[in-house]
């Protein structure tokens, strides 16, 4: 009896401790939940029907977020190493237009995608070299890039104006879903299967990690809390899967974003390159004297940014089935804001790609929700700006780390 | 006027996972020089930060009584207006501004709404004279050496009419001459009625200058020793600091096992294109396996420049001549990576600037220069990493709740130990240590010296750059002395004396 009580108290204590440690991460999820609820209520009040939390809108929201999410992933690395890339806006617009143009020349889709990604990498390499080898600050270099890509975008779209994209395979990247294959009741079968596999995968990985830590006799979280954590993950993914399966299923965008985030997360957390990136962002000189090739790392990070810009451009062009002369305007701001909302340090050295993707989701939920309830574009910018500054201010205060003094 | 200027009563302060101060009592008499000593992480800086309002009222427990009045400082400004001024372990000067601007930074002399430059210059000159710094007040800060910068900090305190001046390890980055000057200046200030609290790990200085010595250990005040009656001795202080007697300051090396030449620098000259002058001229030195080679000299003698030019030449000097030979093979390193891969490690002298990644934890910093050792395929084994970091933390006694502690939150001396841990983990054949014991307490110094002995006994070689002559003499098998970018002499450890090294360091004839 008494023993039971102490065990319970220990568990409560541990839970509180874990919450406290990860409060920063949870804050963003809480914000997301608040946004969801607010828009659901607002849409109900204003439109007479809760339109935000519907399978259709959630699917839509995810597909809308794809291009910003991948760009936020690339941007996270750039910001971690204390640099910035302002050229990704029209960079994405230009690269998307390149894809459209190539398609009008009947180049096969896989080749189009490869070529555009390669061009993105090339652009990143050039900008990175200018920054790293010549020493022009990133702010200036990429600002110049933004001008140049705007010019190039206009050039590419000059002859025809907006270039329509009619290729279904290409357009499916941002609008299409994995095939149904079979159904279970009214649910999309393959989607359910993917959801189950994902949950199983997470279970296996978490359990393996825990077993590994136990083998080293490190302190691990207690069994009930661990089970709770797993159950929480399972519930979250499960719920999302069911929602999606009830509509059209998992979209290709989700798959692309998940693959990209997994790769980047793995690199940042588990490889030497990742360590070098964090180390360089924390103290460039110390990193260099510890044997990090800082120039090469910087150029690599910009090349990866270029690649993500290209992917973002492709996803956006695919999303709107065309390349327009103004595509990409302001994307850089959304990408950077996603990262900062997600807790990437403004002074470098800290950040996570998983969080940045959730940050992108927060930003897009705002856009999506405001659109849904019919708020005009001017007010949208106002509201987004205010929420952005509040979020970062809270974050800075919460961490006790101020930009000045 | 009361006899007691300051009383801190029952001060306690905790950081997450650390009880930094635990009921400390600290009393300072008016007009004395009061030295505060204790091991790394004992809580000295924390106590002084509380006194000066950096850790604000409410974040600690206990009372601060200044001149009989209970004080509640919420900021440095408030403590300054009570006549308290602190000079931190890390100097807070702005390199791009002039000396005069730095002195009056934050409390500019105004004429209406504008700065009164004439008065600023006039008064700055007065304060500079008072601290015996002979430079025009318009000199840019960055052109001054550390020793002179320290003097500017003191001038700044004087300009704020400080009655109580706190100096946190003011001499740790000064050479002997500058330190002696500083101590003289402190004595003069005392004559003028300023009360001084000084934190220092250099017990020799403490014994020379202190009227009272307070010892902190593990966040508690152990005792206050009054030097007025019988003079306090170093060994007495050490006993209170570490809680036991220490027979030797330098551990005895069991057996010397010095082998053949591992590394040599031949006719090495380097030119700094930024300063437009030659920084190294025809340097020759060699290091044998299992040998500790000391590199002595004054600040600015070119020792750090030599190390950097060897270790991948990050400052971008133009090497105008000479060669490096490692294991009988001529080598040239274009980056620190290449140097590390050839078995050289370099622990820098300025841990904040280029030694550590402060926002990361102990684990991250410890393994950063040798991640290769943790790779399982292409993946870093984090579990193995924690094991290794813990092993080093224990073996050199880094005081922290865990290896997950952010380095920024460690005490100065413990940060220094993390720098060493990093290079020990890199297992180089030749380790260049640049001021390895700066800001480290006697006990920890002993540990680090033992560690150095252990490394050389395993066949590693060490070049130790140090401005502390006694340390160089106590530890080295052979000593090279540098002056103005040249090697001016070589003495064996057995023959070295403070005198003959100083002569070589200033390049004067022995008389
Ligand atoms: N901001 C902080 N956050 C967490 N812990 C801290 C912080 N500042 C100091 N500490 C801890 O408090 C203890 C006392 O630190 P303090 O800097 O006062 O030591 P010190 O006596 O000045 O040592 P040193 O001689 O090495 O400078 C140390 O264990 C240190 O790790
Ligand atoms: Mg200190």
């Amino acid at each position: 009896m008494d023993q039971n009580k102490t065990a319970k108290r220990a568990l409560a204590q541990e839970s509180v401790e874990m919450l406290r440690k990860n409060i920063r991460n949870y804050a963003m999820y809480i914000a997301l939940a608040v946004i969801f609820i607010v828009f659901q209520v607002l849409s109900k009040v204003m439109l007479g029907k809760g339109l935000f939390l519907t399978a259709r809108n959630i699917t839509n929201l995810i597909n809308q977020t794809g291009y910003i999410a991948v760009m936020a992933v690339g941007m996270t690395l750039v910001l971690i190493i204390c640099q910035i890339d302002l050229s990704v806006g029209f960079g994405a617009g230009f690269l998307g237009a390149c894809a459209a143009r190539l398609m009008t020349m009947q180049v096969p889709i896989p080749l189009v995608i490869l070529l555009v990604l390669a061009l993105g990498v090339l652009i990143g390499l050039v900008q990175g070299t200018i920054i790293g080898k010549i020493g022009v600050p990133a702010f200036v270099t990429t600002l110049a890039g933004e001008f140049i890509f705007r010019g190039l975008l206009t050039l590419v779209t000059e002859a025809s104006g907006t270039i329509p994209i009619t290729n279904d395979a290409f357009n499916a990247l941002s609008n299409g879903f994995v095939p149904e294959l079979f159904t279970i009741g009214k649910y999309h079968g393959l989607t359910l299967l993917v959801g189950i596999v994902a949950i199983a995968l997470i279970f296996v990985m978490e359990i393996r990690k825990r077993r590994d830590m136990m083998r080293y006799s490190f302190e691990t979280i207690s069994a009930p809390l661990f089970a709770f954590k797993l159950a929480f993950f399972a519930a979250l993914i499960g719920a999302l899967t069911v929602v999606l399966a009830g509509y059209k299923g998992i979209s290709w965008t989700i798959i692309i974003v998940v693959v990209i985030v997994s790769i980047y997360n793995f690199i940042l957390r588990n490889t030497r390159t990742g360590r070098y990136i964090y180390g360089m962002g924390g103290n460039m000189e110390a990193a260099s004297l510890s044997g990090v090739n800082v120039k090469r790392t910087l150029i690599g990070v910009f090349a990866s940014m270029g690649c993500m810009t290209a992917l973002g451009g492709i996803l956006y062009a695919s999303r709107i089935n065309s390349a327009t002369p103004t595509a990409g305007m302001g994307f850089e701001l959304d990408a950077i804001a996603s990262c900062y909302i997600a807790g990437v340090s403004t002074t470098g050295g800290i950040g996570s790609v998983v969080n940045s993707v959730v940050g992108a989701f927060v930003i897009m939920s705002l856009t999506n929700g405001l659109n849904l309830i019919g708020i005009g574009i001017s007010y949208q910018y106002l509201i987004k700006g205010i929420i952005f500054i509040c979020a970062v201010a809270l974050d800075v205060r919460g961490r006790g780390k101020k930009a000045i003094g | 006027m009361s006899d007691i200027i300051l009383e801190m009563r029952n001060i306690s302060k905790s950081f997450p996972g650390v009880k930094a101060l635990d009921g400390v009592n600290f009393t300072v008499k008016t007009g004395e020089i009061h030295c505060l000593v204790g091991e790394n992480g004992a809580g000295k800086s924390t106590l002084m930060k509380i006194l000066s309002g950096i850790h604000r009222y409410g974040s600690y427990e206990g009372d601060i009584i200044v001149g009989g009045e209970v004080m509640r400082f919420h900021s440095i400004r408030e403590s300054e207006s009570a006549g308290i001024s602190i000079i931190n372990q890390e100097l807070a000067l702005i390199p791009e501004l002039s000396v005069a601007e730095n002195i009056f930074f934050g409390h500019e002399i105004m004429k209406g709404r504008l700065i009164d430059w004439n008065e600023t210059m006039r008064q700055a000159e007065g304060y500079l004279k008072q601290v015996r710094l002979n430079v025009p007040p318009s000199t840019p800060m960055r052109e001054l050496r550390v020793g002179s910068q320290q003097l500017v900090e003191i001038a700044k305190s004087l300009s704020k009419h400080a009655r109580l001046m706190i100096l946190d390890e003011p001499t740790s980055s000064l050479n002997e001459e500058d330190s002696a000057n500083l101590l003289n200046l402190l004595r003069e200030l005392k004559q003028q009625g300023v009360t001084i609290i000084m934190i220092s790990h250099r017990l020799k200085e403490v014994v020379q200058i202190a009227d009272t010595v307070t010892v902190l250990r593990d966040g508690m005040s152990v005792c206050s020793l009054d030097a007025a009656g019988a003079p306090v001795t170093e060994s007495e202080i050490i006993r209170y600091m570490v809680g036991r007697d220490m027979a030797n300051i330098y551990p005895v090396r069991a057996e010397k096992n010095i082998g053949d030449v591992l590394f040599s620098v031949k006719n090495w000259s380097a030119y700094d294109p930024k300063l437009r002058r030659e920084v190294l001229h025809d340097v020759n030195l060699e290091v044998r396996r299992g040998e500790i080679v000391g590199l002595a000299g004054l600040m600015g003698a070119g020792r750090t420049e030599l190390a950097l030019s060897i270790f991948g030449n990050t400052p971008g000097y133009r090497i105008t001549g000479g060669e490096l030979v490692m294991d009988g093979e001529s080598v040239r390193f274009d980056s620190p990576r290449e140097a590390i891969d050839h078995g050289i490690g370099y622990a820098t002298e300025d841990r904040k600037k280029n030694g550590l990644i402060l926002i990361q934890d102990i684990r991250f910093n410890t393994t950063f220069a040798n991640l290769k050792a943790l790779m399982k395929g292409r993946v870093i084994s984090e579990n193995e990493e924690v094991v290794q970091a813990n092993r080093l933390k224990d073996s050199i006694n880094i005081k922290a709740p865990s290896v997950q502690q952010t380095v920024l939150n460690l005490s100065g001396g413990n940060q220094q130990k993390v720098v060493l841990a990093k290079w020990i983990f890199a297992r180089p054949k030749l380790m260049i240590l640049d001021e390895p014991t700066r800001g480290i307490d006697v006990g920890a110094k002993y540990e680090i010296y033992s560690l150095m002995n252990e490394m050389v006994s395993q066949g590693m070689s060490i070049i130790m750059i140090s401005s502390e002559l006694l340390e160089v003499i106590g530890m080295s098998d052979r000593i090279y002395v540098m002056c103005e970018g040249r090697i001016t002499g070589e003495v064996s450890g057995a023959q070295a004396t403070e005198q003959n090294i100083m002569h070589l360091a200033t390049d004067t004839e022995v008389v």
Side-chain angles (χ1 to χ4, degrees), chain B residues 44-46 89 168-169 199 201 411-413:
Chain B
K44 307 177 294 293
S45 299
T46 305
Q89 221 159 341
D168 196 347
E169 299 193 35
I199 299 179
H201 286 294
S411 78

Side-chain angles (χ1 to χ4, degrees), chain A residues 212-213 216 218 266 269-272 275-276 278-279 282-283 285-292 348-350, chain B residues 311 336-337 340 348 352-354 356-357 360 363-364 368 371 379-380 382-387 422-423:
Chain A
D212 226 32
M213 281 177 72
Y216 277 86
F218 292 155
F266 175 80
R269 301 185 57 133
N270 298 312
T271 69
R272 262 189 286 181
R275 281 302 171 85
Y276 291 166
Y278 281 118
N283 184 343
E285 225 177 309
S288 164
L289 283 168
S290 304
V292 178
I350 297 172
Chain B
F311 192 71
R337 178 83 264 155
I340 293 169
T348 57
K352 292 235 151 100
K353 182 161 162 273
N354 53 23
L356 293 169
I357 294 155
Q360 294 291 350
R363 174 191 57 95
F364 188 107
F368 194 59
L371 291 168
V379 181
I380 296 170
E382 290 199 39
N383 293 329
E384 188 59 29
E385 180 176 34
V386 174
V387 169
K422 171 166 89 176
W423 289 109

Side-chain angles (χ1 to χ4, degrees), chain B residues 418-444:
Chain B
V418 177
V419 175
L420 292 174
K422 171 166 89 176
W423 289 109
I424 294 170
F425 184 69
R427 305 210 121 269
K429 285 188 270 187
L430 169 66
M431 176 101 100
I432 306 174
L433 300 172
D434 202 343
E435 307 284 357
T437 62
R438 171 175 293 175
I440 282 194
D441 69 57
V442 268

Side-chain angles (χ1 to χ4, degrees), chain A residues 221-342:
Chain A
I221 57 173
S222 62
L225 210 57
F226 181 68
F228 177 77
K229 191 174 146 190
L230 288 186
F232 180 76
F233 275 136
L236 208 67
I237 297 175
L240 187 65
T241 310
V242 171
V243 169
L244 295 178
Y247 184 56
K248 289 185 182 169
I250 287 187
S251 63
W252 290 114
T253 306
I254 296 183
I255 294 186
I256 292 172
V257 171
V258 167
V259 168
I260 295 287
V261 170
S262 308
I263 294 173
Y264 271 87
N265 196 45
F266 175 80
I267 291 175
L268 274 187
R269 301 185 57 133
N270 298 312
T271 69
R272 262 189 286 181
T273 311
R275 281 302 171 85
Y276 291 166
I277 287 171
Y278 281 118
M280 190 176 149
N283 184 343
M284 176 117 124
E285 225 177 309
S288 164
L289 283 168
S290 304
V292 178
N293 188 336
V294 289
K295 284 181 188 163
R296 206 173 63 193
T297 309
L298 183 140
I299 294 172
V301 165
F302 272 92
S304 110
M305 181 76 250
C307 188
M308 287 304 108
T309 308
L311 186 56
I314 289 171
L315 288 178
Y316 184 71
S318 149
R319 177 92 193 133
I320 61 170
N321 300 347
S322 61
T324 69
T326 56
M329 189 145 65
F331 287 9
E332 72 279 13
L333 303 180
D334 279 338
I336 294 168
S338 303
C339 296
Y340 284 146
I341 279 197

